[in-house]
């Protein structure tokens, strides 16, 4: 079986079409224990500010619109 050693995309991807941060939502930012998510003040959308993730999942689970997708590395599944 081939070994996958690198992920193809960022750990956390925000679907900006679904994100309602411009309406005041900060749920994913608030639940992240590492404080790696933030709201872009210009676009008014959530984004991954620091590339450091524990894959603990509350950001994806708690987002009211399903905008957060956490890409768990293959080797951690
Ligand atoms: S929880 Fe979802 S809708 Fe709210 S700011 Fe985060 S990505 Fe956007
Ligand atoms: S999976 Fe956990 S550490 Fe990673 S962004 Fe979401 S809440 Fe933060």
């Amino acid at each position: 079986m081939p070994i996958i050693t690198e992920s193809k995309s960022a750990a956390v991807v925000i679907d900006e079409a679904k994100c309602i941060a411009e309406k005041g939502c900060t749920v994913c930012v608030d639940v992240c224990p590492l404080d790696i998510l933030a709201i872009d003040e210009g676009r008014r959308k959530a984004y991954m500010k620091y590339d450091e993730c524990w894959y603990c999942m509350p950001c994806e689970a708690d987002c009211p619109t399903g905008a957060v997708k956490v890409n768990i590395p293959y080797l951690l599944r």
Side-chain angles (χ1 to χ4, degrees):
M1 186 189 299
I3 297 172
I4 298 171
T5 55
E6 56 186 46
S7 63
K8 286 183 221 131
S9 52
V12 181
V13 176
I14 310 292
D15 184 338
E16 293 195 354
K18 291 183 182 174
C19 178
I20 54 169
E22 76 277 11
K23 292 180 181 162
C25 181
T26 58
V27 171
C28 60
V29 176
D30 295 339
V31 297
C32 178
L34 295 183
D35 282 336
I36 63 172
L37 303 177
I39 307 297
D40 184 296
E41 291 303 324
R43 301 199 317 282
R44 302 299 298 155
K45 298 292 180 184
Y47 73 108
M48 189 181 193
K49 188 171 183 184
Y50 301 107
D51 191 9
E52 172 86 43
C53 182
W54 282 348
Y55 307 104
C56 54
M57 306 306 284
C59 55
E60 180 175 307
D62 293 350
C63 173
T65 63
V68 181
K69 179 79 181 75
V70 178
N71 294 306
I72 300 173
Y74 179 78
L75 293 175
L76 289 184
R77 282 180 196 170

